Amino acid sequence: MNIPSSILTMLAGIVLTLISLWYGQNHSLLPEAASKEASDVDSLFNVMVTISTGLFLLVQAVLIISAIRFRRRKDDNTDGAPIHGNVPLEILWTAIPAVIILGISVYSFEIYNQMGGLDPMAAHEHGNMQIAHQMKGAAIAAPLPTSFEETAPTPPPQKQIALGIGASPEKQGKPADLLVNVTGLQYAWIFNYPESGVTSGELHLPLGKEVQLNITAPDVLHSLWLPEFRLKQDAIPGRNAELRFTANKIGEYPIVCAELCGSYHGAMRTRLIVETPEEFENWLASQKEMASKESLEEAIAINPAKMSAGEFLAPYVEKMGIDAAALAQLHSQHHHTTASN
């Protein structure tokens, strides 16, 4: 029984659509979502995966069918039929991608606007965050020897393009529940809570509270990447950037530098810990208590400015795959250089 080609085409289209829709919702390509804004980003990503899957299957099917149907038969040495082009077909395969790209552009623009990306710093004035110019390496501090405000003079305000993700349209003009100043430097993230005076090498956030991160850098370009929150923002020397979001899932998540920033870029990682508001307040209180201790032996602070490469890498040996012999060689080279000087 011969099935009309139109019915075969329709059935193939239905199967292709169903497979694309299923995979678009079950691809498991993204980590778990831990912020209120992540669901919007995931929806856009799922749409793009669905369309990409359908196009991939369609193109591969056409290639396979063409390779089989139009292959050269045995003992057939004749030339193929001359084809000068098909204008309707060319219009079709130009129009379809154009419509798809236009639709995705409009959809992504709407999501970007809902997240507050069009004008992140329009709702309030931002003072330039100050940074400690003499800090080197992964200085994780509580307490630090001086505050950010005391380390550098305040430059005059400048009119610049706003960077990052600000308040969503319905929250324009309203301050976030929590403000955190973020400094990216070689090779650590430093988080300062100006309302409480706490400075930490880890980012702690309360569940269900909107947080505003003010991001800058003192040395080179860094990039604050929060995979589970679907957020990434460059930390640019001399510029302020903003990220506003709401964590909605308790847990511990990685913070990664996603911009090559130097020799130890791979070690520029820390943690984002989402906890209940009560646990967050307890953590702030414990940090204040730690910062009030006068004995340096009881403070959590490391200044690696005079450390050798081996000493600096010691905490990361296992993760970086460095064996003990290579680490010992770094130690010996450092001591030999110091003796020669």
Side-chain angles (χ1 to χ4, degrees), residues 6 12 16 25 38 103 165 202 233 241 290 318:
S6 58
L16 181 68
Q25 300 298 322
I165 300 294
E202 296 179 344
Q233 175 57 49
M290 180 66 69
E318 183 177 351

Side-chain angles (χ1 to χ4, degrees), residues 132 134-145 148 183 185-191 199-202 300-305 307 312 316:
Q134 302 303 321
M135 296 178 66
K136 175 185 176 183
I140 301 175
L144 290 173
F148 290 130
T183 302
L185 71 164
Q186 294 176 313
Y187 300 94
W189 295 106
I190 303 298
F191 305 99
T199 300
S200 173
E202 296 179 344
I300 306 173
I302 302 174
N303 182 8
M307 296 170 65
F312 181 85
Y316 312 103

Side-chain angles (χ1 to χ4, degrees), residues 1 65 88 126 157 170 195 242 279 304:
M1 185 177 80
I65 293 173
H126 288 268
E170 64 271 14
E195 296 179 359
E242 175 183 321
E279 291 173 335

Side-chain angles (χ1 to χ4, degrees), residues 96-117:
I96 290 178
V99 172
I100 292 175
I101 291 173
L102 179 61
I104 292 177
S105 299
V106 173
Y107 186 24
S108 61
F109 179 86
E110 179 61 25
I111 289 180
Y112 190 59
N113 182 40
Q114 291 177 7
M115 294 177 63

Side-chain angles (χ1 to χ4, degrees), residues 36-239:
K36 178 182 176 182
E37 295 75 13
S39 59
D40 292 332
V41 178
D42 289 356
S43 297
L44 173 61
F45 186 79
N46 291 342
V47 169
M48 292 192 293
V49 170
T50 300
I51 296 173
S52 301
T53 301
L55 290 175
F56 173 79
L57 293 176
L58 176 62
V59 171
Q60 296 305 312
V62 171
L63 287 175
I64 293 172
I65 293 173
S66 299
I68 295 174
R69 183 175 179 180
F70 301 108
R71 71 188 186 279
R72 185 179 72 86
R73 265 56 176 189
K74 185 178 180 181
D75 299 327
D76 182 4
N77 296 318
T78 61
D79 294 333
I83 298 176
H84 298 287
N86 188 316
V87 174
L89 182 59
E90 293 177 2
I91 293 175
L92 182 65
W93 71 38
T94 301
I96 290 178
V99 172
I100 292 175
I101 291 173
L102 179 61
I104 292 177
S105 299
V106 173
Y107 186 24
S108 61
F109 179 86
E110 179 61 25
I111 289 180
Y112 190 59
N113 182 40
Q114 291 177 7
M115 294 177 63
L118 293 184
D119 201 357
M121 288 182 258
H124 38 266
E125 292 294 330
H126 288 268
N128 287 318
M129 295 188 306
Q130 306 306 319
I131 44 82
H133 294 285
Q134 302 303 321
M135 296 178 66
K136 175 185 176 183
I140 301 175
L144 290 173
T146 181
S147 66
F148 290 130
E149 289 76 8
E150 297 172 348
T151 56
T154 302
Q158 298 179 352
K159 292 290 184 181
Q160 294 178 315
I161 298 175
L163 302 174
I165 300 294
S168 57
E170 64 271 14
K171 293 184 178 180
Q172 285 288 343
K174 300 178 182 178
D177 298 319
L178 177 66
L179 176 65
V180 183
N181 293 332
V182 182
T183 302
L185 71 164
Q186 294 176 313
Y187 300 94
W189 295 106
I190 303 298
F191 305 99
N192 175 259
Y193 298 76
E195 296 179 359
S196 59
V198 170
T199 300
S200 173
E202 296 179 344
L203 178 58
H204 287 247
L205 299 178
L207 179 70
K209 301 293 185 180
E210 186 182 37
V211 61
Q212 174 182 317
L213 304 183
N214 291 337
I215 306 168
T216 190
D219 40 32
V220 299
L221 187 68
H222 303 277
S223 185
L224 182 74
W225 183 26
L226 311 175
E228 285 77 9
F229 296 78
R230 310 296 190 262
L231 295 171
K232 182 190 291 184
Q233 175 57 49
D234 285 350
I236 304 174
R239 296 292 304 273

Side-chain angles (χ1 to χ4, degrees), residues 279-298:
E279 291 173 335
F280 175 74
E281 292 299 329
N282 292 337
W283 175 80
L284 280 181
S286 67
Q287 295 301 299
K288 290 179 183 178
E289 180 181 358
M290 180 66 69
S292 65
K293 294 183 179 297
E294 297 182 358
S295 173
L296 292 179
E297 294 179 355
E298 298 182 56

